[in-house]
Amino acid sequence: MLTNRRLCLAARPTGIPGPQNFSADSVPVRAPTTGEALLETLYLSIDPAMRSWMSEGRGYQQGIPLGEVMRGGGIARVLESRAQGFGAGDIVQARLGWQSHPTIAGRFLQKLDLTLGSIEDWIGPLGLSAVTAYFGLRDIGGLRPNDRVLVSAAAGGVGQVAVQIARIEGCRVVGIAGGAQKCAFVASELGAAAVIDYKSEQDLAAAIGRACPDGIDLYFDNVGGPTLDAALAHLREGARVVLCGRISQTHAAEPYAIRNLARFAAAHGRMQGFLVFNYHDRYDEARAWLAARRRDGSLRQKLHMLDGLEQAPVGLGMLFRGENMGKLVVRLSPKSVATRA
Ligand SMILES: NC(=O)c1ccc[n+]([C@@H]2O[C@H](COP(=O)([O-])OP(=O)(O)OC[C@H]3O[C@@H](n4cnc5c(N)ncnc54)[C@H](OP(=O)(O)O)[C@@H]3O)[C@@H](O)[C@H]2O)c1
């Protein structure tokens, strides 16, 4: 009998989440009923938002009840299908949860179009992080050629795509990242004109001023807090600030108080947040654009791959310690996707 290996939420996080918050078990797989398919998980996307799903309070999504399988999206292969339109061997994406063999209703599955890109492309440059960068820059940020663009967490999953989209569209892009290795990656692999290692700067606002001597038209903010504040000090007339994420504030004891709103007002700035899920109806548009840039070689994507389901909680903690470079993904090992009891 096939077993489904699962990681369930065992304790709500008080600081950076990790293995201490999860319990592992193995249960018999659930045979699909009419309309469902049995899957084997191939890849799981690890995302900062998962930290908020682990909390009790209601964020933009309801917290996960204790004892339930950890929520998370990924890519899987169909093993057995009683869902119309899906057959054994199809590659699908869905909210799989942290488990090796979920059984999920067909209406929640999306078959991947592998003519657009490989399976790994679908978790990377065609995945939700990349789609987030696309809509954040274009729809929220109103990206225009020749914009002077600043991107924080520039070596991460969303950030690396944001840097490249802006560069491809003819903008001068400056990245902010933590550490020399990440900064070298953002400059040499992603093509940023300049990179700021915020961990080695005493005065981040001054460093942004040096890297962006003509100011900022568009700031794509992945981190919030003092980094957002420092960027506001350099806004040009009509600047746009995209509030994509605020990872620096996840574990802050007190919310950071922004100081540079006067500059924001003087620049007639516009600041707007967004959730990528609200663009669901237009994912195909983003993926068509991203796939074309993959084909012509202008869009690169670094995956930070961890092997084995048990690495998922480790990976989640890595995001909050800045230990990932590129899009963090867990690949279920052949062993874990084929375990038989
Ligand atoms: N709006 C949406 O719909 C949406 C969708 C997806 C993601 N997001 C947001 O986008 C952001 C990036 O997500 P991702 O999945 O691509 O993660 P990621 O950038 O791959 O990983 C997180 C990165 O954040 C940086 N970081 C962590 N703690 C920090 C701190 N205290 N101060 C400054 N930087 C810190 C680290 O990079 P450094 O080493 O460079 O510091 C870390 O590698 C997150 O804020 C996430 O919540 C939003």
Side-chain angles (χ1 to χ4, degrees), residues 106-256:
R107 67 180 182 282
F108 298 128
L109 305 179
Q110 185 201 351
K111 206 184 294 186
L112 300 191
D113 176 358
L114 295 177
T115 63
L116 275 188
S118 67
I119 299 178
E120 287 197 356
D121 282 345
W122 271 90
I123 198 121
L126 304 179
L128 268 192
S129 304
V131 170
T132 300
Y134 177 92
F135 288 116
L137 278 175
R138 287 169 178 267
D139 281 60
I140 309 299
L143 184 72
R144 294 190 284 257
N146 300 317
D147 271 349
R148 297 144 179 93
V149 177
L150 179 69
V151 179
S152 55
V158 175
Q160 65 174 339
V161 182
V163 168
Q164 294 179 90
I165 292 175
R167 193 248 303 140
I168 290 166
E169 295 293 9
C171 301
R172 179 182 189 272
V173 191
V174 174
I176 300 176
Q181 197 191 357
K182 289 188 179 186
C183 290
F185 166 67
V186 174
S188 61
E189 300 280 318
L190 308 182
V195 192
I196 299 161
D197 177 0
Y198 75 94
K199 287 185 175 167
S200 71
E201 295 290 347
Q202 293 292 324
D203 182 344
L204 183 57
I208 293 174
R210 288 193 297 276
C212 307
D214 299 320
I216 301 164
D217 295 301
L218 197 169
Y219 173 46
F220 190 99
D221 184 28
N222 282 314
V223 306
T227 309
L228 169 61
D229 211 2
L232 292 183
H234 297 281
L235 296 186
R236 290 165 59 85
E237 175 68 24
R240 292 88 66 201
V241 177
V242 179
L243 298 182
C244 176
R246 47 193 289 281
I247 196 167
S248 75
Q249 298 302 287
T250 312
H251 302 107
E254 293 282 329
Y256 179 86

Side-chain angles (χ1 to χ4, degrees), residues 4 144 156 293:
N4 181 20
R144 294 190 284 257
R293 304 290 95 71

Side-chain angles (χ1 to χ4, degrees), residues 9 11-15 17 21-22 48-66 70-71 250-251 316 320:
L9 184 62
R12 301 204 182 279
T14 48
N21 300 109
F22 298 93
M50 292 172 159
R51 168 69 173 74
S52 67
W53 304 342
M54 294 166 68
S55 300
E56 199 161 14
R58 188 176 165 79
Y60 73 92
Q61 288 192 1
Q62 190 70 45
I64 301 163
L66 286 175
M70 178 61 188
R71 186 187 295 154
T250 312
H251 302 107
L316 184 54
F320 297 96

